[in-house]
Amino acid sequence: LRANFSIIQSETGFVSGLITVLHDVTEQEKIDAERREFVANVSHELRTPLTTMRSYLEALANGAMQDEEIGPRFLKVTQNETERMIRLVNDLLKLSKMDSKDDQLTREYVNFIGFFHHIIDRFEMTKEQHVTFKRKLPNTEIFVEIDEDKLTQVLDNIISNALKYSPEGGQVKFKVKELENMIEVSISDQGMGIPKDNIKKIFERFYRVDKARSRQMGGTGLGLAIAKEVVEAHGGRIWASSIEGKGTTIYFTLPYERSQEDEWS
Ligand code: ADP
């Protein structure tokens, strides 16, 4: 706690009062420390791909380019790193936009079930691995007031993680449960899982269980942090449950009001 004193004095110099303002410094210090850590993280995250690219480019310049086999391979590495850096900067921009309070959600009533099917279809069309999809979605329409673009981002981030961590032949399960005044969405995989102590941390910015592995797979460490921001902006909650070696489920809720029509039908 920090205190500021102001003395109230009349023109004749007579002290008639004292104003004390107490500030909660600990809160401000915490915010400052978080900001410093964030900037340090961002710098580090950008430096890593840049130093990788520098060494590959140096090797290319020093003759690797003439090698028919190594040349294209090294070029590919620099391309991948560039792509990842672009993703990282785009993710950072999304987060900073959400941090500034003027970024409002553009909400509309959307049939969440149709919307979710559509996103799963897109992944099903383009997935390369032998992973099977299982959908447990209600056969009804459920209208939820959402920002469709932002929730697409949330689902993209969660589903691409589920695919990234799925073993060959694994199953990814999509589920929507209708609760009292919200829906609960979950996406489960049969991947490596997350150690118990780390489960809560995966929603923090830049947190990864295995940094090298995440980078290698093109991750930015921001996907779930963005998902959390968006879900919470909708008034929902996001969490994970996982068993190491068995798989992971990411859950989130979205508030919705059952319309009277629904109740009567
Ligand atoms: P990244 O870009 O590294 O995937 P995310 O924010 O999306 O960043 O996820 C943070 C970390 O959470 C990942 O690096 C990984 O360690 C862990 N994680 C997320 N989803 C899964 C999953 N389905 N299975 C196992 N680990 C996961």
Side-chain angles (χ1 to χ4, degrees):
L1 225 56
R2 188 180 61 215
N4 281 349
F5 298 100
S6 311
I7 293 169
I8 303 171
Q9 240 172 341
S10 70
E11 278 167 22
T12 53
F14 185 76
V15 177
S16 60
L18 184 69
I19 298 173
T20 312
V21 183
L22 299 174
H23 298 272
D24 189 346
V25 207
T26 47
E27 188 55 32
Q28 189 55 43
E29 270 172 6
K30 219 179 113 206
I31 293 169
D32 288 347
E34 274 170 13
R35 189 166 298 150
R36 275 196 300 274
E37 194 192 326
F38 184 66
V39 172
N41 273 333
V42 171
S43 316
H44 183 77
E45 294 295 333
L46 284 171
R47 196 179 55 186
T48 309
L50 282 170
T51 46
T52 307
M53 277 163 61
R54 184 175 57 192
S55 33
Y56 279 85
L57 287 171
E58 255 169 32
L60 282 167
N62 290 336
M65 199 147 68
Q66 272 73 46
D67 189 299
E68 267 180 38
E69 199 251 329
I70 296 177
R73 221 177 66 209
F74 279 18
L75 257 185
K76 186 80 198 149
V77 174
T78 63
Q79 269 173 338
N80 287 345
E81 288 299 302
T82 313
E83 287 301 327
R84 201 166 66 81
M85 255 185 354
I86 292 171
R87 267 203 304 281
L88 178 66
V89 172
N90 283 338
D91 280 356
L92 283 168
L93 285 173
K94 275 180 214 145
L95 275 173
S96 91
K97 241 180 107 186
M98 279 187 277
D99 282 346
S100 70
K101 295 279 175 259
D102 49 54
D103 184 46
Q104 303 285 339
L105 296 176
T106 318
R107 289 188 185 212
E108 271 175 81
Y109 276 101
V110 175
N111 168 24
F112 191 84
I113 304 304
F115 164 73
F116 197 16
H117 271 302
H118 186 75
I119 290 177
I120 305 168
D121 287 344
R122 174 157 54 76
F123 275 94
E124 200 154 40
M125 296 271 283
T126 54
K127 75 178 155 65
E128 293 157 10
Q129 313 137 277
H130 297 290
V131 172
T132 54
F133 280 6
K134 185 170 177 180
R135 311 182 196 205
K136 287 186 90 176
L137 312 191
N139 254 333
T140 51
E141 296 187 325
I142 301 180
F143 281 87
V144 187
E145 209 180 354
I146 55 166
D147 185 319
E148 211 171 323
D149 286 346
K150 292 215 167 73
L151 267 185
T152 301
Q153 179 82 60
V154 170
L155 289 166
D156 278 357
N157 292 352
I158 298 173
I159 299 171
S160 50
N161 279 344
L163 288 173
K164 260 196 288 194
Y165 293 100
S166 276
E168 278 291 308
Q171 187 186 69
V172 176
K173 195 155 83 190
F174 305 90
K175 216 161 146 181
V176 174
K177 244 175 33 188
E178 205 178 341
L179 304 173
E180 185 66 27
N181 48 11
M182 59 180 140
I183 57 168
E184 185 190 278
V185 183
S186 64
I187 292 134
S188 313
D189 64 65
Q190 298 176 326
M192 61 200 286
I194 301 162
K196 206 162 172 241
D197 293 343
N198 304 338
I199 288 187
K200 283 216 172 107
K201 296 199 191 127
I202 61 171
F203 299 98
E204 289 172 13
R205 295 174 186 194
F206 294 120
Y207 184 84
R208 291 102 140 197
V209 177
D210 181 343
K211 267 206 158 65
R213 195 190 156 105
S214 155
R215 283 208 191 99
Q216 202 196 348
M217 292 202 276
T220 64
L222 294 174
L224 290 179
I226 292 175
K228 183 173 150 79
E229 292 275 341
V230 173
V231 167
E232 288 179 354
H234 279 82
R237 228 164 54 78
I238 188 165
W239 70 99
S241 83
S242 183
I243 301 173
E244 265 196 279
K246 287 257 162 122
T248 303
T249 303
I250 306 285
Y251 298 87
F252 67 87
T253 57
L254 292 172
Y256 98 109
E257 281 172 42
R258 238 178 248 251
S259 70
Q260 291 197 327
E261 267 170 75
D262 288 348
E263 275 163 22
W264 289 342
S265 63

